[in-house]
Amino acid sequence: MVNVTLLFGLTAVAGILGCYLTWLVVKMEKSPWLLLPSVLSLAVFAWLLTLHPSAAGRIYAAYGGAYICVALAWLRLVDGVGLTRWDLLGGAVALSGMAIIMFQPR
């Protein structure tokens, strides 16, 4: 369970980083050279998705919960925006949904 959760976290960080670097280029007019690590990060994201131990559709559905929580951490740590109780509640609900999908009896 811990390994799957950590893998979801790493997958989410790779996806968010790749998108964030592209956002910096497009919205903040940063160097287009940032697109190279962006593409690499998104490739790592796609590869990490293949390491998950379940059917692709189930992984994508459950990944959404982890993505939401990592995006909220990114909002706090990178963007410097404080989280509200609603952010925290939404993250908890999303993680609960992820756990229900991933750790169902087989």
Side-chain angles (χ1 to χ4, degrees):
M1 184 165 111
V2 172
N3 288 340
V4 170
T5 303
L6 289 174
L7 188 55
F8 269 123
L10 287 173
T11 304
V13 168
I16 291 170
L17 179 61
C19 293
Y20 182 71
L21 292 172
T22 301
W23 181 83
L24 287 175
V25 173
V26 173
K27 295 296 237 176
M28 304 301 289
E29 299 179 358
K30 299 294 182 183
S31 170
W33 287 104
L34 287 175
L35 294 175
L36 292 176
S38 173
V39 168
L40 178 62
S41 183
L42 291 171
V44 167
F45 158 76
W47 173 71
L48 287 170
L49 281 175
T50 70
L51 300 180
H52 290 270
S54 190
R58 183 169 292 130
I59 293 303
Y60 301 149
Y63 167 73
Y67 183 89
I68 288 168
C69 291
V70 173
L72 289 171
W74 189 278
L75 176 67
R76 177 68 189 109
L77 299 172
V78 176
D79 293 332
V81 176
L83 300 178
T84 68
R85 64 182 176 192
W86 299 105
D87 294 328
L88 297 173
L89 178 60
V93 169
L95 275 183
S96 297
M98 180 196 89
I100 290 167
I101 292 168
M102 284 307 299
F103 304 119
Q104 61 184 283
R106 302 200 203 264

